Amino acid sequence: MSNQEINLSPTRPYMARAIYEWICDNQLTPYLLVDATQPYTSVPEQFVKDGQIVLNIAPHAVHQFQMSNDAVSFSARFGGVARDIYVPISALLGIYARENGQGLFFDPDEYANVQTTEDTLKSNTQEQVESETPKKKPSLRLLD
């Protein structure tokens, strides 16, 4: 039975949080490997190489760090300029320690058939707009 059939959520965000905690607990530097070509990914384009970017997410290097089931977001400086970073979990290819390369790398196709929160929001908004379209005005007719 597949994850789709029993409707399990993907393991990627849970595994990424666990590896992040393990790296930090061992006083190592956590790096994210990101597929910068994925929709809704917001990273500094000038540092993207071959569609990918590596981000240092050490606690001392980032501000307002959050890793949810949907995305990794934080603020960091790139070339002295503060930037807000947003990485959907589907764009997260790996999390590893800079010092020894130990970590976890994910199957890029894991999210191929999973509808993301952004897609869900977009389709819900579209359905809401469609349901708000004017319909025929109700009328009352008296019968004798």
Side-chain angles (χ1 to χ4, degrees):
M1 193 178 285
S2 74
N3 286 356
Q4 295 265 339
E5 291 173 31
I6 55 176
N7 203 21
L8 292 176
S9 59
T11 59
R12 186 177 300 188
Y14 301 94
M15 300 301 287
R17 283 193 295 270
I19 295 297
Y20 173 78
E21 188 174 322
W22 175 83
I23 291 170
C24 291
D25 284 353
N26 286 283
Q27 286 77 46
L28 300 173
T29 309
Y31 275 11
L32 287 184
L33 177 61
V34 176
D35 179 353
T37 65
Q38 289 293 312
Y40 312 109
T41 303
S42 178
V43 295
E45 296 296 323
Q46 67 268 30
F47 299 105
V48 173
K49 291 186 179 164
D50 298 324
Q52 297 181 345
I53 187 170
V54 175
L55 301 169
N56 176 353
I57 57 167
H60 65 272
V62 299
H63 301 285
Q64 300 173 334
F65 180 79
Q66 291 188 321
M67 189 181 296
S68 71
N69 288 351
D70 298 319
V72 177
S73 62
F74 57 91
S75 178
R77 290 191 157 309
F78 294 87
V81 178
R83 289 281 313 262
D84 289 331
I85 306 302
Y86 184 83
V87 178
I89 288 294
S90 59
L92 180 59
L93 298 176
I95 181 168
Y96 62 95
R98 178 190 70 188
E99 293 80 0
N100 60 16
Q102 287 188 316
L104 192 58
F105 295 87
F106 304 105
D107 177 7
D109 297 326
E110 179 184 7
Y111 278 77
N113 296 319
V114 176
Q115 187 176 26
T116 64
T117 302
E118 290 89 358
D119 293 339
T120 304
L121 290 173
K122 193 183 285 186
S123 69
N124 288 346
T125 304
Q126 185 175 6
E127 288 171 10
Q128 185 178 11
V129 168
E130 289 172 0
S131 69
E132 291 175 0
T133 55
K135 296 181 181 170
K136 187 177 176 184
K137 192 174 179 180
S139 62
L140 181 62
R141 192 171 90 188
L142 296 174
L143 297 174
D144 289 326

